[in-house]
Amino acid sequence: MIRVVFNQKGGVGKSSIATNLAAISANEGNKTLLIDLDAQCNSSQYLLGDELPEDEGTIAQYFANSLRASFKVDISDYIYDTELANLHIIPASPELGELQSRLESRHKIFKFRDLINILNEKYDRIYIDTPPAYNFYTLSALIAADSVLIPFDCDDFSRKALYTLMDNIEEVKEDHNENLKLDGIVVNQFQPRANQPNRVVNELRAEKLPLLDTYIGTSIKMRESHEAQLPLIYFAPSHKLTKQFVELHREIEKKSKTK
């Protein structure tokens, strides 16, 4: 199962969601890989911290190497072990931003899918964290994926962007990846006692948008987890926020098995 976590709006929690779901998958015994396609490297820093490589051994190196005519893939060049059992990562690099125009001009949009086809034989679950933009890297991920999960924070700006985002996913499905499925929209940073988030969520449900049943709340534990470089399932396994992530993982796994 290859799952992309995508929203073209920043600040909606893509990296936190991708990393914590990958960690839960690994904790449940699945051999799991997290791939960071965002030049900001948030997922990479979450798991690797100061050990984050600059250029060598990153997904940027893979894309740079793909520009060579004689390129042959050796996945061991890019995969890093984490301190957590069953969880591995291909980290990002700021160099991704510099490479994008060269990759686009050389029509390398399917090179990431080539890598995923190799990795899919070795991992039970692959999670892909994407940049906050609909760009070359996001499109590459959607072309290669089985499903896409959309994080959504409850404000009207995010809501307006949501319709464009879903149109983009549908376009990818029609043009490049007919098997791409939508896991659903996960409401993130939800405040159940506030009127505005409840209003937005209720309106989206009334419009029949595919909101998942599990909402992810807000807590200082998330920031503490980042600082500790340890996903919530290991950092605070009994915390309410962790339990919400576990329930989200259970919900999307169930949906993927019934499709």
Coordinates of all heavy atoms in Angstrom, one line a residue, residues 12-47:
V12 N -1.2 22.5 7.5 CA -2.3 21.6 7.8 C -1.9 20.3 8.5 O -2.8 19.5 8.8 CB -3.1 21.4 6.5 CG1 -3.7 22.6 6.0 CG2 -2.3 20.6 5.5
G13 N -0.6 20.1 8.7 CA -0.2 19.0 9.5 C 0.2 17.8 8.6 O 0.2 16.6 9.1
K14 N 0.6 18.0 7.4 CA 1.0 16.8 6.5 C 2.1 16.0 7.1 O 2.0 14.8 7.2 CB 1.4 17.3 5.1 CG 0.3 17.8 4.2 CD 0.8 18.1 2.8 CE 1.9 19.1 2.8 NZ 1.5 20.4 3.3
S15 N 3.1 16.7 7.5 CA 4.3 15.9 8.0 C 4.0 15.2 9.3 O 4.4 14.0 9.5 CB 5.5 16.9 8.2 OG 5.9 17.5 6.9
S16 N 3.3 15.8 10.2 CA 3.0 15.2 11.4 C 2.1 14.0 11.2 O 2.3 12.9 11.8 CB 2.2 16.2 12.4 OG 3.1 17.2 12.7
I17 N 1.1 14.1 10.3 CA 0.2 13.0 10.0 C 1.0 11.9 9.3 O 0.8 10.7 9.7 CB -1.0 13.5 9.2 CG1 -1.9 14.4 10.0 CG2 -1.8 12.3 8.6 CD1 -3.0 15.1 9.3
A18 N 1.7 12.2 8.3 CA 2.5 11.1 7.6 C 3.4 10.4 8.5 O 3.5 9.1 8.5 CB 3.2 11.8 6.4
T19 N 4.2 11.1 9.3 CA 5.2 10.5 10.2 C 4.5 9.6 11.3 O 4.9 8.5 11.5 CB 6.1 11.5 10.8 OG1 6.7 12.3 9.8 CG2 7.2 10.9 11.6
N20 N 3.4 10.1 11.9 CA 2.8 9.4 12.9 C 2.0 8.2 12.4 O 2.1 7.1 13.1 CB 1.9 10.3 13.7 CG 2.7 11.1 14.8 OD1 3.1 10.6 15.8 ND2 2.9 12.4 14.5
L21 N 1.4 8.3 11.3 CA 0.8 7.1 10.7 C 1.8 6.0 10.3 O 1.6 4.8 10.5 CB -0.1 7.5 9.5 CG -1.4 8.3 9.8 CD1 -2.1 8.7 8.5 CD2 -2.3 7.5 10.7
A22 N 2.9 6.5 9.7 CA 4.0 5.5 9.4 C 4.5 4.8 10.6 O 4.8 3.6 10.6 CB 5.1 6.2 8.6
A23 N 4.7 5.6 11.7 CA 5.2 5.0 13.0 C 4.2 4.0 13.6 O 4.6 2.9 14.1 CB 5.5 6.1 14.0
I24 N 2.9 4.3 13.5 CA 1.9 3.4 14.0 C 1.9 2.1 13.1 O 1.8 1.0 13.6 CB 0.5 4.0 14.0 CG1 0.5 5.1 15.0 CG2 -0.6 3.0 14.2 CD1 -0.7 6.0 14.9
S25 N 2.0 2.3 11.8 CA 2.1 1.1 10.9 C 3.3 0.2 11.3 O 3.1 -1.0 11.4 CB 2.2 1.6 9.5 OG 2.5 0.5 8.6
A26 N 4.4 0.8 11.5 CA 5.6 0.1 11.9 C 5.4 -0.6 13.3 O 5.8 -1.8 13.5 CB 6.8 1.0 11.9
N27 N 4.8 0.1 14.2 CA 4.6 -0.4 15.5 C 3.7 -1.6 15.5 O 3.8 -2.5 16.4 CB 4.0 0.7 16.4 CG 3.9 0.2 17.9 OD1 4.9 -0.1 18.5 ND2 2.7 0.3 18.4
E28 N 2.8 -1.7 14.5 CA 1.9 -2.9 14.4 C 2.5 -4.0 13.6 O 1.9 -5.0 13.3 CB 0.6 -2.4 13.7 CG -0.2 -1.5 14.6 CD -1.6 -1.1 14.1 OE1 -1.9 -1.6 12.9 OE2 -2.3 -0.5 14.8
G29 N 3.8 -3.9 13.3 CA 4.5 -5.0 12.7 C 4.7 -4.9 11.2 O 5.3 -5.8 10.6
N30 N 4.2 -3.9 10.5 CA 4.4 -3.7 9.1 C 5.8 -3.1 8.8 O 6.2 -2.2 9.4 CB 3.3 -2.8 8.5 CG 1.9 -3.3 8.7 OD1 1.7 -4.5 8.3 ND2 1.1 -2.5 9.3
K31 N 6.5 -3.7 7.8 CA 7.7 -3.1 7.3 C 7.3 -1.8 6.6 O 6.7 -1.9 5.5 CB 8.5 -4.0 6.5 CG 9.9 -3.5 6.1 CD 10.7 -4.5 5.3 CE 12.1 -4.0 5.0 NZ 12.9 -4.9 4.2
T32 N 7.7 -0.7 7.1 CA 7.1 0.6 6.7 C 8.2 1.6 6.3 O 9.3 1.7 6.9 CB 6.3 1.3 7.8 OG1 5.3 0.3 8.2 CG2 5.6 2.5 7.3
L33 N 8.0 2.3 5.2 CA 8.9 3.3 4.6 C 8.2 4.6 4.6 O 7.1 4.7 4.0 CB 9.4 2.9 3.3 CG 10.3 3.9 2.5 CD1 11.7 4.0 3.3 CD2 10.5 3.5 1.1
L34 N 8.9 5.7 5.0 CA 8.4 7.0 4.9 C 9.3 7.7 3.9 O 10.5 7.7 4.0 CB 8.4 7.8 6.2 CG 8.0 9.2 6.2 CD1 6.6 9.5 5.8 CD2 8.3 9.9 7.6
I35 N 8.7 8.4 2.9 CA 9.5 9.1 1.9 C 9.1 10.6 2.0 O 7.9 10.9 1.9 CB 9.2 8.6 0.4 CG1 9.5 7.1 0.3 CG2 10.0 9.4 -0.6 CD1 9.2 6.5 -1.0
D36 N 10.1 11.4 2.2 CA 9.9 12.9 2.3 C 10.2 13.6 1.0 O 11.4 13.6 0.6 CB 10.8 13.4 3.5 CG 10.5 14.8 3.8 OD1 9.6 15.4 3.2 OD2 11.1 15.3 4.8
L37 N 9.2 14.1 0.4 CA 9.3 14.8 -0.9 C 9.3 16.4 -0.7 O 9.2 17.1 -1.7 CB 8.2 14.4 -1.9 CG 8.4 13.0 -2.5 CD1 7.2 12.8 -3.5 CD2 9.7 12.9 -3.3
D38 N 9.3 16.8 0.5 CA 9.2 18.3 0.8 C 10.6 18.8 1.1 O 11.3 18.4 2.0 CB 8.2 18.5 1.9 CG 7.9 19.9 2.2 OD1 8.5 20.8 1.5 OD2 7.1 20.2 3.1
A39 N 10.9 19.9 0.3 CA 12.2 20.5 0.5 C 12.4 21.1 1.9 O 13.5 21.4 2.3 CB 12.5 21.6 -0.6
Q40 N 11.3 21.3 2.6 CA 11.4 21.8 4.0 C 11.9 20.7 4.9 O 12.3 21.0 6.1 CB 10.1 22.3 4.4 CG 9.6 23.5 3.6 CD 8.2 24.0 4.1 OE1 8.1 24.5 5.2 NE2 7.2 23.8 3.3
C41 N 11.8 19.5 4.5 CA 12.4 18.3 5.3 C 11.8 18.1 6.7 O 12.5 17.5 7.5 CB 13.9 18.5 5.4 SG 14.8 18.9 3.9
N42 N 10.6 18.4 6.9 CA 10.0 18.3 8.2 C 9.9 16.9 8.7 O 10.2 16.6 9.8 CB 8.6 19.0 8.2 CG 8.7 20.5 8.1 OD1 9.7 21.1 8.5 ND2 7.6 21.1 7.6
S43 N 9.4 16.0 7.8 CA 9.3 14.6 8.2 C 10.7 14.0 8.5 O 10.9 13.2 9.4 CB 8.6 13.8 7.1 OG 7.3 14.1 7.0
S44 N 11.7 14.4 7.7 CA 13.0 13.9 7.8 C 13.6 14.3 9.2 O 14.2 13.6 9.9 CB 13.9 14.4 6.7 OG 13.4 14.0 5.4
Q45 N 13.4 15.6 9.5 CA 13.9 16.1 10.8 C 13.2 15.5 12.0 O 13.8 15.3 13.0 CB 13.8 17.6 10.8 CG 14.7 18.3 9.8 CD 14.5 19.8 9.7 OE1 13.4 20.3 10.2 NE2 15.4 20.5 9.1
Y46 N 11.9 15.2 11.8 CA 11.1 14.6 12.8 C 11.7 13.2 13.3 O 11.9 12.9 14.5 CB 9.7 14.3 12.3 CG 8.6 14.1 13.3 CD1 7.3 14.1 13.0 CD2 8.9 13.7 14.7 CE1 6.3 13.9 13.9 CE2 7.9 13.5 15.6 CZ 6.6 13.6 15.2 OH 5.6 13.3 16.1
L47 N 12.2 12.5 12.3 CA 12.8 11.1 12.6 C 14.3 11.1 12.7 O 14.8 10.3 13.5 CB 12.3 10.1 11.5 CG 10.9 9.8 11.4 CD1 10.6 8.8 10.3 CD2 10.4 9.2 12.8

